[in-house]
Amino acid sequence: METKQFKAESKRLLNLMINSIYTNKEIFLRELISNASDAIDKLYYRSLTDKNIKVNRADLEIRVDIDKEKRLLKITDNGCGMTEEELENNLGTIARSGSLLFKEENKEQKDVDIIGQFGVGFYSAFMVSDLVKVESKSVDSEKAYTWTSKGEEGYTIEESDKKENGTVITLHIKEDSEEENYSTFLDSYKIQELIRKYSDYIRYPIKMEVEHTKEKEVKAEEGKEAKKEYETVKEIETINSMIPIWKKNKSTVKEEEYNNFYKEKFYDYEDPLKVIHVSVEGQFSYNALLYIPSHVPFDYYTKEYQKGLQLYSNGVLIMEKCEELLPDYFGFVKGLVDSPDVSLNISREMLQQDRQLRAIAKNIENKIKSELEKMLMNDREKYDKFFKAYGTQLKFGAYDNYGMNKDKLKELLMFYSSTEQKLVTLKEYVLRMKEGQENIYYACGESVDKIDLLPQVELIKDKGYEILYLTENVDEFVLQVLMEYEGKKFQNASAENVNLDSEEEKEQLKKLNEENKDMFALMKEAIAGEVQDIRFTHRLKNHPVCLTTEGALSIEMQKVINQMPNNGALKAQTILEINENHEIAKKLKDLYNNDKETLKKYTKVLYSQARLIEGLSVENPTEISNLVCEIMAK
Ligand code: ADP
């Protein structure tokens, strides 16, 4: 019998499969079952138009058989089958999708990725078997043929006496090696598990002979209870459920069913916070089942975390994590998408450009967003819980890429409110704004309690304004990219330009600062280079000093930026403000006239105090401590 050679490309792919170091070899079964299902599809559709082909829908099925002794795994379908020519063309040459992938130069690592993510169809059988036999009879041919190959050396085709149309693929499973336990693919439970894992939703029954232990019927002896006896029976069973939960009508699925599915599929011990079930039909069609986990995945903020949704093409799993389906800021969402418009062998390169997929992704993003908005409106308690878990992520989403997505996310953001003493949205803040209030006030610090004690905050609170307390590093950066909300600008309580005085008061203060200009110059000298300016203020009520900033960079932002590696000495432009109504102001003027040396010491102490209030460290604490004691001892 003639041994034919594989085409060059096929040989390469085959070689890759046979020597595969890919660990997820089990996917071969998914590939073969999915081919079987396609073949049945083809036959069924043919039967709808071709009177000569008679098909009973109920008979269409896939069978999986195991012969442990002979190390054989058999996958049988009663689909369209293949003619001799088709066997030659389809199995001797790799499929179109495969060839596309191989146009590029692949490194070994990339090959492994390809197997994992897209599967490579029929040839994946060679990952687990050293001999593959394909016996097939086409509906278009009287004769049946058997294609046989041990791999690279080539293949043979000979006639067979198969009578019914369809295909039987017989794999001789490789002997176990040190690295690989191939025998697991001869274990009935393992095969059942794989069918449920990858092919549960195939629309035709996947049947297997399954062993059961059953109670035997035993007649009881008179006056005695019947003894229990058991026997092992073999039964043909359908392993797959055939109907995916996401294709069911929403109203027929119980919450518990959604939750159980989630916990099993995504390995969580807790029910999800939210289930989103989407069915879209039209220009593109898809079903999606999305979950927001109740708690942040433990590795969420690490590099290991991979966002993405499972991708199915008509019930067949084609990718575990399709990242293209989720924007980063919704990266915590788990779930799956099933679309008949996505090809089973779509490649990663194609994924990114795939119009259907992009449209689906956009749709999913909008859906998640609108569901969150609904939750915010209708179930605040739940939204609070959501925001505590994922708020930081949303804020990063608003800030990232220079605020490219800020408008999509701004309604979902919340910050702590000084008046409400809980998290509030920007919309709620603006609705509560006082008449004539022009700005949205905010103040930053390590904790709500600490911010509440800031001298700069007190007067704004006293005037009855609500202040947003920002405690997370990213917060102020978010407000900076937002710039404004509904026309209201954000105003840092610690910025030099907080404008609470009347015109008259402003005028008075200006005059006062002008009069004491020389004194401030001397004080500035005492803390050379540390501050932009020193001046009197009215904003401090009873507190003596504070540090404010001028320009875009606040003290909190300076702290955050300087914490990052390779970001040395970035400095906010600070101003030391001294309360003109405080006793200390009088004292300073006094010292300026009579004891300039002591004035310098006072300045150093005042500046250190202002820094401490802001949560900044003091450069030379010993010097300051000595100075304070010197002054105290006087
Ligand atoms: P793909 O399924 O991506 O086309 P495969 O390598 O898995 O690539 O299969 C190649 C071709 O072989 C299929 O397109 C199909 O025409 C044919 N084929 C494979 N398995 C079967 C089967 N069980 N019945 C009929 N045809 C099949």
Side-chain angles (χ1 to χ4, degrees), residues 35-36 39 42 77 80-82 90-91 95-97 120-122 167 345:
N35 279 348
K42 268 186 222 163
D77 67 70
C80 62
M82 283 176 273
N90 294 344
L91 306 185
R96 307 132 277 130
S97 46
V120 268
F122 170 71
T167 305
N345 281 310

Side-chain angles (χ1 to χ4, degrees), residues 450-631:
K450 280 194 180 169
I451 300 172
D452 207 43
L453 293 171
L454 283 176
Q456 300 93 308
V457 162
E458 200 167 323
L459 190 68
I460 303 177
K461 271 201 314 197
D462 269 12
K463 298 220 170 188
Y465 296 122
E466 181 175 356
I467 311 175
L468 299 176
Y469 287 177
L470 312 186
T471 52
E472 277 198 286
N473 284 348
V474 65
D475 287 346
E476 202 177 359
F477 293 90
V478 172
L479 297 194
Q480 278 229 335
V481 295
L482 283 178
M483 289 192 293
E484 46 94 26
Y485 181 82
E486 289 186 3
K488 310 290 178 193
K489 290 220 159 56
F490 296 105
Q491 172 68 58
N492 189 339
S494 293
E496 156 281 335
N497 63 348
V498 171
N499 189 0
L500 295 169
D501 291 348
S502 66
E503 287 308 310
E504 201 180 323
E505 284 170 319
K506 267 191 255 177
E507 221 20 69
Q508 191 204 349
L509 199 60
K510 201 171 154 195
K511 217 172 103 205
L512 214 82
N513 279 321
E514 193 55 38
E515 282 168 16
N516 292 284
K517 162 170 120 221
D518 296 336
M519 174 181 81
F520 291 134
L522 183 74
M523 290 171 73
K524 239 179 107 173
E525 226 180 274
I527 48 169
E530 289 295 324
V531 296
Q532 193 78 7
D533 212 351
I534 302 181
R535 60 173 81 127
F536 283 136
T537 183
H538 284 154
R539 70 155 90 202
L540 286 173
K541 266 187 77 188
N542 307 318
H543 303 283
V545 281
C546 77
L547 211 53
T548 61
T549 50
E550 208 172 44
L553 191 67
S554 73
I555 290 173
E556 283 308 310
M557 291 168 92
Q558 169 192 321
K559 282 190 220 163
V560 174
I561 292 171
N562 288 346
Q563 268 168 15
M564 300 176 197
N566 308 325
N567 255 319
L570 200 61
K571 253 180 108 178
Q573 301 194 337
T574 50
I575 292 156
L576 179 63
E577 297 199 11
I578 297 161
N579 187 354
E580 201 263 328
N581 299 320
H582 194 280
E583 281 299 305
I584 195 71
K586 232 189 317 163
K587 178 80 184 176
L588 293 175
K589 284 186 225 169
D590 209 33
L591 286 173
Y592 179 67
N593 292 326
N594 303 312
D595 185 354
K596 294 201 166 53
E597 275 321 298
T598 307
L599 175 64
K600 285 184 185 170
K601 291 177 185 170
Y602 269 56
T603 308
K604 283 186 180 175
V605 174
L606 283 174
Y607 175 60
S608 303
Q609 287 172 337
R611 283 184 68 89
L612 289 174
I613 291 168
E614 282 301 322
L616 294 167
S617 64
V618 172
E619 216 149 277
N620 189 343
T622 313
E623 184 198 7
I624 300 305
S625 164
N626 291 347
L627 279 176
V628 171
C629 285
E630 192 188 316
I631 294 165

